[in-house]
């Protein structure tokens, strides 16, 4: 559980770094139903930079609850809103 939380935290930091490096807005997509986490280019969501699946494997979680389904990350280092995540195991 702690390892999964650390990986999500690192991936969020990477989304901000990617937005600055690519000089393009990025989207962080969180799907609670499939327990997945994706970082995509905002202008073309088929271009995925990072995809994490937390449904099976060593990082399997029982649930992911997010305050928003997506978060826009701007190249300036700002996001469009706050994000609250809750990760857990049943």
């Amino acid at each position: 559980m702690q390892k999964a939380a650390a990986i999500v935290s690192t991936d969020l930091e990477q989304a901000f770094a990617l937005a600055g490096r690519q000089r393009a807005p990025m989207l962080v997509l969180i799907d609670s139903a499939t327990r997945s986490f994706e970082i995509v280019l905002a202008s073309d969501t088929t271009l995925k930079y990072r995809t994490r699946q937390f449904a099976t494997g060593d990082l399997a979680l029982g649930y992911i609850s997010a305050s928003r389904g997506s978060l826009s990350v701007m190249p300036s280092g700002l996001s469009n809103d706050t994000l609250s995540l809750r990760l857990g195991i049943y």
Side-chain angles (χ1 to χ4, degrees):
M1 168 70 188
Q2 290 177 350
K3 187 173 183 176
I7 287 172
V8 168
S9 172
T10 303
D11 285 349
L12 281 172
E13 289 178 16
Q14 186 179 24
F16 282 88
L18 277 169
R21 190 172 341 148
Q22 298 295 327
R23 292 187 177 96
M26 305 298 276
L27 277 176
V28 177
L29 304 173
I30 300 118
D31 188 352
S32 298
T34 61
R35 291 173 284 194
S36 65
F37 184 90
E38 296 177 345
I39 300 171
V40 298
L41 189 63
S43 61
D44 181 13
T45 57
T46 60
L47 182 59
K48 295 181 169 70
Y49 285 95
R50 167 82 60 200
T51 300
R52 298 272 186 197
Q53 299 289 332
F54 293 105
T56 60
D58 292 343
L59 302 174
L61 295 174
Y63 63 90
I64 296 176
S65 175
S67 59
R68 307 175 50 85
S70 66
L71 180 72
S72 295
V73 178
M74 302 300 157
S76 63
L78 300 174
S79 64
N80 67 337
D81 202 358
T82 58
L83 178 67
S84 175
L85 289 173
R86 177 172 277 186
L87 311 175
I89 301 172
Y90 290 121

